[in-house]
Amino acid sequence: MESLKLKAEVREKIGGLSSKTAIYKENKIPGIIYGGKDEPQPILVKKNELLKIINNEGLFNSVVEVELDGKAVNVLFKEVQKHPAKNIFTHIDLSLIHISEPTRQEAISYA
């Protein structure tokens, strides 16, 4: 299995119309990386970059390497939000992980 990689950039503008502008005019998806001891980091991901890995069957069970400001961080996808009527992504939530530390994740059962 190939490793999953995603390029992201720090999101400077938060709130208001900045998310809509990013989605519709810049073709970027807003998101956030949270977890660990650091503050949550708002990010922007190019739509094409996200589409490359989003159809991976094991995406929510795989470690994804995110390149952010020249350094790589390991994350797990927690949630991908889509617009209810339009077929577009509106937000992603990523959980920061450290490979050397154990990580506890909730399992979802659809039974």
Side-chain angles (χ1 to χ4, degrees):
M1 176 182 199
E2 66 181 66
S3 64
L4 301 174
K5 296 184 180 194
L6 187 65
K7 292 181 183 176
E9 59 189 70
V10 174
R11 183 171 49 155
E12 302 295 331
K13 297 179 183 176
I14 301 171
L17 294 175
S18 63
S19 292
K20 285 186 177 182
T21 301
I23 294 168
Y24 294 109
K25 292 184 180 176
E26 301 172 9
N27 280 329
K28 294 180 181 177
I29 311 302
I32 191 155
I33 299 175
Y34 60 89
K37 297 174 183 154
D38 300 331
E39 289 290 317
Q41 177 66 60
I43 61 170
L44 284 172
V45 176
K46 289 183 181 175
K47 183 172 81 172
N48 292 343
E49 289 281 327
L50 183 62
L51 290 174
K52 286 180 188 176
I53 67 166
I54 201 73
N55 291 327
N56 188 312
E57 288 179 2
L59 178 65
F60 287 90
N61 298 325
S62 301
V63 175
V64 179
E65 184 179 298
V66 175
E67 184 182 321
L68 183 64
D69 284 344
K71 74 177 200 185
V73 294
N74 293 312
V75 300
L76 288 174
F77 268 72
K78 295 296 285 182
E79 184 176 17
V80 176
Q81 298 172 11
K82 289 180 87 172
H83 190 280
K86 303 173 184 176
N87 192 24
I88 58 170
F89 296 103
T90 58
H91 194 268
I92 58 174
D93 290 341
L94 307 173
S95 178
L96 180 67
I97 62 167
H98 298 283
I99 300 296
S100 59
E101 297 176 9
T103 302
R104 183 182 170 126
Q105 300 294 325
E106 290 183 29
I108 299 173
S109 174
Y110 294 104

